[in-house]
Amino acid sequence: MTESKAAPRVGEKLPARTIGPFSAADLAEYAEISGDSNPLHLDLAFARGFGFTARPVHGMKLLAAFEPMLRDWRGDLAVIALTGQFLTPVLEGEAASLTARIVKIEQSEKTFVAFLRLIAHTASGAPALMGEARLTPVES
Amino acid sequence: MSATPAVQHMGPLRATASPEVVAAFRLATGWREAEGPPPASFPVIVMNLPEIGGAVRAAAHEVGLPVHEAQHFEYVRPIQLGESYDLMLEFRREHEPARLIVTAEVFATDGARVGRIVSTLRLIDPAAIPGAAIPGADSQGATRP
């Protein structure tokens, strides 16, 4: 982990991370904690009724998984904004890969904001999530 | 049945970043340590509080399954472990395609602004999906409509 408060370089890529594969128990645990108990994530027959071959993983579980990845990369930066658009579902039994890179730095006299493009892919390579994070140095 | 108004407001609704719930959320979302500050994504759980879930269900009742399409968090100061916050909520309905956009403005109990959370839900009519996959992917909303 880098502990410098220097701004990262535009174009820098974070180490990719694979999460999952996700089990039905993983989905049930997230549903219980988050309160998102939509049957699409929990009831296989219901999910199949909507055309899925397995229960889809909560998109928020993917978006939230970027945060420990960002923390491991630069523990001296804090997330001040996080956005995600949920695209292709990741299904129960599948893994997902998370990637991120710096797309812009806004530098001011005393601090900076780093803009990161976030992309999660399904195991087959389809985009599962596209998003953005904005990070700034933690105030000491 | 009368249609839900295009924009509804609710609040203030008080919510607390309970250490136990934050720890469970961290472990369920890939953090190695349960102990630590609330992640930026943690406040998504307030979107499933009964008061908010009821409004989502009301919209879903008119159309169909709420499907989580997008999520946004932004902060002027971080959420603190154990602290309580007041949420001012806006529920905005869009049509063609049907959506419910829930915006929560987050304030500290002293009134200082903390941030904003926006959840965008597509409302999918199951009858319009003859066995096909739903475009737009994730689902949200407390219960089956």
Side-chain angles (χ1 to χ4, degrees):
Chain A
M1 183 190 304
T2 305
E3 290 297 346
S4 159
K5 290 194 177 181
R9 286 181 300 104
V10 172
E12 179 179 350
K13 293 181 180 178
L14 280 63
R17 177 168 292 188
T18 299
I19 57 172
F22 300 98
S23 67
D26 293 332
L27 274 60
E29 177 193 44
Y30 182 80
E32 182 176 351
I33 293 162
S34 69
D36 184 353
S37 56
N38 190 306
L40 203 57
H41 302 298
L42 304 173
D43 182 337
L44 182 57
F46 190 80
R48 284 180 172 158
F50 278 80
F52 294 108
T53 57
R55 287 168 275 239
V57 176
H58 300 78
M60 262 311 302
K61 188 171 168 64
L62 302 180
L63 180 60
F66 277 97
E67 289 196 75
M69 174 180 171
L70 297 170
R71 175 73 181 184
D72 286 349
W73 169 64
R74 286 286 299 259
D76 59 328
L77 305 183
V79 175
I80 56 170
L82 182 68
T83 299
Q85 183 168 10
F86 308 120
L87 305 170
T88 309
V90 173
L91 300 179
E92 173 191 355
E94 294 180 348
S97 64
L98 310 183
T99 61
R101 71 181 176 91
I102 317 301
V103 293
K104 185 170 78 168
I105 300 290
E106 281 186 356
Q107 186 82 50
S108 60
E109 188 176 343
K110 292 185 176 176
T111 190
F112 64 85
V113 178
F115 292 71
L116 285 78
R117 172 70 48 82
L118 312 176
I119 304 179
H121 288 94
T122 68
S124 63
L129 177 155
M130 293 191 70
E132 181 186 274
R134 279 183 269 149
L135 281 71
T136 198
V138 176
E139 291 179 16
S140 52
Chain B
M1 178 174 61
S2 61
T4 302
V7 180
Q8 294 178 285
H9 293 92
M10 181 190 296
L13 180 65
R14 184 153 291 185
T16 301
S18 153
E20 296 78 18
V21 180
V22 169
F25 185 86
R26 286 173 61 95
L27 292 178
T29 54
W31 293 83
R32 284 186 295 274
E33 315 85 10
E35 293 74 26
S41 53
F42 171 74
V44 75
I45 72 163
V46 306
M47 292 298 172
N48 292 295
L49 290 174
E51 296 87 342
I52 301 176
V56 172
R57 281 194 294 279
H61 183 71
E62 293 180 14
V63 181
L65 187 73
V67 175
H68 203 172
E69 188 175 57
Q71 182 65 44
H72 174 72
F73 307 89
E74 64 181 68
Y75 298 97
V76 292
R77 64 189 68 190
I79 298 287
Q80 300 289 339
L81 197 65
E83 291 295 315
S84 294
Y85 296 92
D86 290 326
L87 310 176
M88 296 300 294
L89 297 147
E90 179 192 88
F91 300 84
R92 183 158 50 90
R93 282 287 304 273
E94 291 184 352
H95 302 278
E96 299 181 10
R99 285 191 177 93
L100 177 65
I101 300 171
V102 185
T103 301
E105 300 287 350
V106 183
F107 298 90
T109 53
D110 65 2
R113 185 167 181 271
V114 171
R116 174 182 294 155
I117 310 163
V118 183
S119 296
T120 302
L121 308 175
R122 277 281 293 277
L123 301 174
I124 305 293
D125 179 359
I129 305 173
I134 303 171
D138 182 40
S139 72
Q140 160 134 351
T143 60
R144 187 174 188 157

